[in-house]
Amino acid sequence: KRLEFHQIESAILSMRQKYNASAVVIEVSGVGRAIGNSLLKREGTRTWMQPVDPKLGKLERALAQTPKIERKRVYLPVSAPWLETFENEIASFPMSKFADQVDSMVHFLGFLDLRNRWTIDLTAYRYHRERPF
């Protein structure tokens, strides 16, 4: 969805609850910084919010994660209401008007590189410790 600023925080909280997410990756630059700061005022947020402050541009961050995709280590569902839009945005990057979903995917893939308490128990780490992704 394309949300107005005032809708984003409640959408994050709603989706976290709906999917029982133990971690939520939030880019804390630009608008994300304000949203992250607002979320941090809520009790318990530090236990699940994973802030990311990017040092590179969107294209450079995407290029850094491309090997995972090329090695076919990224899986998408066969069918989902959002799948066509997502695939179109990925396929047209970096020339597309929108790149939020690309950026979100790239941040998530970077989050997997952290090998922290949220990611260490993923199947990919258990069975492919030397090169999980």
Side-chain angles (χ1 to χ4, degrees), residues 15-70:
M15 290 177 62
R16 178 178 175 267
Q17 182 176 359
K18 179 179 179 179
Y19 296 104
N20 194 26
S22 59
V24 176
V25 179
I26 297 180
E27 181 178 327
V28 290
S29 65
V31 171
R33 183 171 309 282
I35 294 166
N37 286 337
S38 179
L39 285 168
L40 285 173
K41 293 175 184 173
R42 295 174 175 271
E43 187 176 335
T45 302
R46 292 182 193 278
T47 63
W48 56 264
M49 189 171 94
Q50 184 67 43
V52 175
D53 190 4
K55 304 299 181 220
L56 301 172
K58 288 184 187 210
L59 181 58
E60 292 82 9
R61 292 193 306 266
L63 288 172
Q65 297 301 328
T66 298
K68 291 176 185 150
I69 299 164
E70 290 174 340

Side-chain angles (χ1 to χ4, degrees), residues 64-65 68 108-116 119 125 133:
Q65 297 301 328
K68 291 176 185 150
F108 175 72
L109 294 173
F111 173 70
L112 294 176
D113 292 336
L114 298 177
R115 295 185 184 208
N116 58 33
T119 60
Y125 283 116
F133 298 101

Side-chain angles (χ1 to χ4, degrees), residues 1 23 31 33 66-67 75 85 92 99 102 107 118 122:
K1 294 181 183 179
V31 171
R33 183 171 309 282
T66 298
Y75 299 92
T85 304
S92 61
V102 173
H107 282 310
W118 290 293
L122 294 173

Side-chain angles (χ1 to χ4, degrees), residues 80-120:
W82 50 266
L83 187 58
E84 184 178 351
T85 304
F86 179 77
E87 289 177 328
N88 288 336
E89 186 175 307
I90 300 295
S92 61
F93 181 79
M95 305 309 284
S96 62
K97 179 178 177 182
F98 301 107
D100 292 338
Q101 292 185 97
V102 173
D103 213 23
S104 179
M105 177 187 71
V106 166
H107 282 310
F108 175 72
L109 294 173
F111 173 70
L112 294 176
D113 292 336
L114 298 177
R115 295 185 184 208
N116 58 33
R117 65 186 169 113
W118 290 293
T119 60
I120 203 67

Side-chain angles (χ1 to χ4, degrees), residues 6-7 20 32 34 68 73:
H6 68 278
Q7 298 172 309
N20 194 26
K68 291 176 185 150
R73 301 295 295 165

